[in-house]
């Protein structure tokens, strides 16, 4: 993982997960670039930190997408809930990764 700064994260996305770059840039421009308050930056970084962490591990990313797809198709609410909880645990875990991991 890169340094935990918007610039370093953008560079890492451009290099290792370029498919995320258009959405990252559009979100930055919409939520941060014209803001007079840097309050939204931590939430922005948390979201994209996790997205990048998943995207750089295609196997884990595919697993999370599969969990979410299976949850959306589940007819049993307990099964859907369990699948979404597992996906959420993974997303939470990757958001906690530190630079250099």
């Amino acid at each position: 993982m890169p340094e935990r700064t918007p610039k370093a994260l953008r560079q890492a996305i451009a290099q290792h997960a370029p498919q995320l770059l258009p959405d990252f840039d559009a979100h930055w421009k919409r939520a941060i670039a014209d803001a007079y308050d840097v309050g939204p930056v931590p939430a922005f970084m948390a979201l994209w930190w996790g997205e990048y962490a998943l995207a750089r591990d295609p196997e884990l990313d595919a697993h999370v997408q599969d969990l979410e797809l299976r949850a959306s198709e589940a007819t049993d609410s307990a099964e859907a809930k369990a699948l979404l909880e597992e996906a959420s645990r993974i997303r939470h875990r990757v958001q906690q990764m530190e630079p250099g991991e």
Side-chain angles (χ1 to χ4, degrees):
M1 295 298 286
E3 290 181 39
R4 204 178 273 263
T5 66
K7 182 178 181 179
L9 181 57
R10 188 187 186 285
Q11 289 173 340
I13 288 171
Q15 184 176 5
H16 301 288
Q19 71 278 11
L20 296 179
L21 199 54
D23 289 339
F24 177 91
D25 286 343
H27 188 195
W28 177 266
K29 191 172 198 173
R30 182 180 67 250
I32 308 297
D34 296 328
Y36 293 101
D37 178 9
V38 295
V41 173
F44 177 90
M45 285 297 294
L47 170 72
W48 285 100
W49 190 260
E51 290 301 313
Y52 171 69
L54 282 177
R56 73 184 191 131
D57 184 343
E59 189 175 306
L60 184 59
D61 192 26
H63 178 63
V64 169
Q65 289 181 24
D66 179 62
L67 290 169
E68 292 170 344
L69 177 63
R70 288 171 39 211
S72 74
E73 295 172 345
T75 56
D76 177 55
S77 63
E79 177 186 4
K81 180 181 177 190
L83 291 165
L84 290 175
E85 286 174 347
E86 183 177 348
S88 178
R89 278 192 297 277
I90 293 168
R91 287 184 178 279
H92 182 71
R93 186 178 76 233
V94 299
Q95 285 180 332
Q96 303 307 312
M97 294 180 78
E98 293 295 329
E101 287 187 58

